[in-house]
Structures are given as structure tokens and as C-alpha cells.
Amino acid sequence: MNENNFMRMALELAQQGCGWAAPNPMVGAVIVKDGRIIGQGWHRKFGGLHAEREALAACTESPRGATMYVTLEPCCHHGKQPPCVDAILQAGIAHVVVGSEDPNPLVKGNGIRMLREHGVRVTEGVLRGDCDELNEVFFHYIRTGLPFVAMKYAMTMDGKIAAYTGASKWITGEEARKHVQLQRHRYRAIMVGAGTVLADDPLLTCRMEHGRNPVRILCDSRLRIPLDARVIQTAGEIPTVVATCCLDEKKAAAYEQAGCYVLSVASENGQVDLQDLMKKLGDGGIDSILLEGGGTLNWSALERGIVQKVQAYIAPKLLGGREAKTPAEGKGFSSLEQAVRLKNSRVLRLGTDILIESEVDTGVYGDC
């Protein structure tokens, strides 16, 4: 096996921390000696051992003189765990192969530098593209302090997210819906507008076995979500944030009594200012958001420039209808030159449906 194969193994291990490692990055490590794997591990859960220490603890023989393959640069600072660089040096690892450089200012090349200063050979950038993609959420959050936002919607082949009657269950099939539950497990929070709650009365939970429920964020400018809505009734069990620019303290108190956290944000044309909301959520430790709003909230999110990724689940169905809902409504852009550009699109087949996942091209986002 070559170094790419071992790094792919480390990547597969890292992915097992999906949903649990956040807001830390997902990291995997494989230790190889004389061509044999003697230890492997991953960052299982926030606050727990890092991948390097997990792999060292799992070694079946002395790691002295071995090579460690790790998807992200080893840390060199004290956090919830001591520096991984110290553990690597103490174990006598001779060679460290790294996928991504850690953009955290507390690390950012210093872990690699310290290893080299102590005589450890370091190879950088192996499968870097795959390793960077694995931690797109962490990289965005650590660099900006803002949540990584993925805008998700399910639509028919003619671009409708609901019939003209409002009926929307179910556009996609079971396999696509299972994939959505994985996303709810992966992202730290899920966000919808008051209109979605009024129309569908959703629970916004993760229904994947052994999955983690996301924090529920409800954008409700005028505090009009009924107190008997399921998301409000279950706020005592699942963290629920009501983001509003309404100044009615009596209304806010009713939500707080139900177990919600009412977050006051700035107003933008009478609506929740999404940029201010992202800043406050980021300050509160929310590193990622799955945006499952309707066309109105989706448009506002695009217009305000808060979206990093778009996930379009497309079903081989046609609904038609001038009044049928579409993924992004609002005023819309006046020309194609102003359109939000997407890049690096990938297609995944999910039963009879397909998922097209694209990155927002922030390089031209300013033209909007």
C-alpha cells in the first residue's frame, strides 16, 4: 500500500466522527510500521481524545520508528486535550504524513514546524483536496467565526418544492429522505422560517438511528409561531432558538416559558437580519446550519450572502402550476449576470432521485 491508500483509510476513520466531533474537526490517524498497520483511531467526540492519541493508544506494538498518517496537522496547543505533537514525540514516531494544514491560528503550521524541529520527518499535502473537503465546516468557522450554511431543498424536475395547494409530502423517495436525516445529524443546527412551521408543523429532529438532534433555529420576525406548534411544545427536550426582531416582551416571555431561547437580532426591512443572526449564532458556538426553509427564507439567505453550499434533491416528477412554490422566491435578481453562481457540483443517485450538491462561488457573490 502507498501513502495515498493509508491516507484514504485515515479519511474513512475520520468520517466516523461526523456529527459528534463538532465544533472540532473530523480527524483520522493510521500508524504504520514495516508496512503493517499497528494502530488507528479517530476523533470520536468533542472533548474526547484526538485521533493521534486514539491511534497511539490502540497500537499493538511499540510505535517507535513508525509512520503516522493523519488527515489534519497535529495540534500543538492545550485545549480540552493536551497537544498531540507531544504525544507523537513521546511515542518516537519517525515520520508524520499530513493531509491538511490546520487553519486554527493556535496551530497553523506550528505543529508541523515543532515536529520537524525535533527531528521528525513530515510529508505535507497528501490527498489534501479530500482532507480539506472533509472539514469544510470547521475551516469556514475557524476562519470567519460564522456558521457554515448549507441550503437544502427537495424539488420536482420542473423546480417545484410544493404543489399550488401547498402539498409537499413527499416529493422525494425514502432513500433521499434518509440522506437528509444524515445531514441533520451532521450539521449542528437546522433553520427554518415561521412560514414553514405554520405550513407543515415539523419537528425538525434527526430520525437517523443513533443520530444527534440539531439545535432548532426558528426565524420568526413577528413572533407568530403558535405556542402549540410541535417545535415549541418540545423545546424543553431539544434546544430551540427563536430568532426575532419583535420587541414585544410579553410575547417573548411566552416562548421562553415554553423552553425556547429567544434571540433578539437586528431588523432588515422588518425581517430578521440574517447577517446579524449568523454573527450571534457563531459567537454562541453554532458552527454549521442546515437551512431547510421555504422559498422566502431561502431567497433572503441568498440575498444576504450567508449560504456556502446548496443541496438540491431532485425527484423525477412534474407538478406544474404558476402558483406552485419554488426553492427561492422573493424579488429575485433582475439579470443572469446577478445570479448566484455555483461551482464544483457533484451528483449522487439516491434511489429514483438525485442530489446535486454545489458550492457557492463566493468569488462572484458580491455581484449580487
Side-chain angles (χ1 to χ4, degrees):
M1 294 179 72
N2 60 31
E3 61 184 14
N4 284 1
N5 296 131
F6 289 124
M7 188 61 78
R8 285 194 182 94
M9 291 182 63
L11 279 164
E12 290 174 3
L13 289 167
Q15 289 167 356
Q16 296 186 59
C18 177
W20 301 112
N24 281 352
M26 291 180 278
V27 185
V30 174
I31 300 174
V32 178
K33 190 172 185 179
D34 300 326
R36 296 173 290 106
I37 296 173
I38 64 168
Q40 51 189 319
W42 69 94
H43 186 30
R44 297 172 183 268
K45 194 171 184 178
F46 178 69
L49 289 179
H50 291 182
E52 298 92 327
R53 289 181 178 270
E54 280 270 0
L56 288 168
C59 279
T60 55
E61 61 183 87
S62 171
R64 187 162 296 279
T67 297
M68 175 182 285
Y69 295 82
V70 61
T71 55
L72 184 68
E73 176 183 4
C75 65
C76 54
H77 66 289
H78 283 272
K80 289 187 176 294
Q81 293 290 331
C84 289
V85 165
D86 291 354
I88 292 169
L89 295 174
Q90 290 166 8
I93 295 289
H95 182 196
V96 176
V97 180
V98 176
S100 298
E101 180 182 87
D102 191 336
N104 187 337
L106 297 173
V107 185
K108 199 170 176 57
N110 289 320
I112 290 171
R113 177 184 56 78
M114 289 176 64
L115 289 171
R116 285 177 170 151
E117 287 177 351
H118 286 82
V120 177
R121 185 160 67 96
V122 179
T123 300
E124 299 178 62
V126 174
L127 297 187
R128 179 169 184 172
D130 293 332
C131 292
D132 286 355
E133 182 181 354
L134 174 73
N135 282 309
E136 60 183 357
V137 166
F138 172 74
F139 286 6
H140 174 81
Y141 183 59
I142 204 71
R143 286 168 175 154
T144 66
L146 302 173
F148 181 98
V149 178
M151 187 176 83
K152 166 263 167 187
Y153 52 85
M155 70 179 188
T156 58
M157 236 173 182
D158 57 342
K160 310 299 184 183
I161 62 172
Y164 74 90
T165 60
S168 61
K169 291 186 173 62
W170 294 102
I171 286 178
T172 53
E174 185 176 350
E175 193 170 337
R177 297 200 301 273
K178 283 183 178 178
H179 192 270
V180 170
Q181 298 308 312
L182 175 61
Q183 304 311 301
R184 289 186 177 187
H185 167 75
R186 176 184 181 185
Y187 288 91
R188 187 69 190 91
I190 183 171
M191 186 166 80
V192 300
T196 295
V197 178
L198 291 169
D200 300 335
D201 193 21
L203 265 176
L204 305 177
T205 55
C206 176
R207 297 186 293 276
M208 185 180 81
E209 188 176 6
H210 306 304
R212 181 181 72 168
N213 282 325
V215 175
R216 301 178 300 192
I217 301 167
L218 314 176
C219 293
D220 189 358
S221 302
R222 301 192 300 276
L223 293 179
R224 60 194 178 104
I225 293 175
L227 294 175
D228 62 357
R230 295 198 294 170
V231 284
I232 306 300
Q233 289 292 304
T234 55
E237 307 161 26
I238 304 166
T240 304
V241 176
V242 178
T244 187
C245 49
C246 177
L247 301 178
D248 189 324
E249 294 182 1
K250 186 176 179 180
K251 275 188 176 182
Y255 290 99
E256 290 173 342
Q257 188 173 1
C260 300
Y261 176 74
V262 178
L263 180 62
S264 295
V265 297
S267 171
E268 173 72 16
N269 296 323
Q271 302 295 317
V272 166
D273 185 330
L274 293 178
Q275 288 183 340
D276 185 48
L277 176 58
M278 291 304 106
K279 175 67 167 62
K280 288 178 176 174
L281 291 174
D283 290 346
I286 299 295
D287 69 338
S288 57
I289 295 171
L290 184 64
L291 174 58
E292 288 200 23
T296 300
L297 183 58
N298 286 349
W299 163 252
S300 296
L302 292 171
E303 188 180 35
R304 296 296 284 163
I306 69 166
V307 179
Q308 281 70 53
K309 176 180 280 189
V310 176
Q311 296 174 319
Y313 294 82
I314 304 174
K317 300 172 183 176
L318 302 173
L319 266 175
R322 281 192 297 268
E323 305 302 319
K325 300 293 185 179
T326 59
E329 296 177 349
K331 181 180 179 181
F333 298 119
S334 61
S335 69
L336 289 173
E337 287 73 25
Q338 292 179 308
V340 174
R341 307 296 177 86
L342 305 177
K343 64 179 183 179
N344 298 333
S345 298
R346 294 184 303 177
V347 179
L348 176 65
R349 180 171 291 279
L350 297 165
T352 58
D353 307 312
I354 61 171
L355 165 64
I356 301 179
E357 189 172 65
S358 306
E359 299 171 21
V360 172
D361 190 347
T362 54
V364 295
Y365 216 136
D367 296 340
C368 301

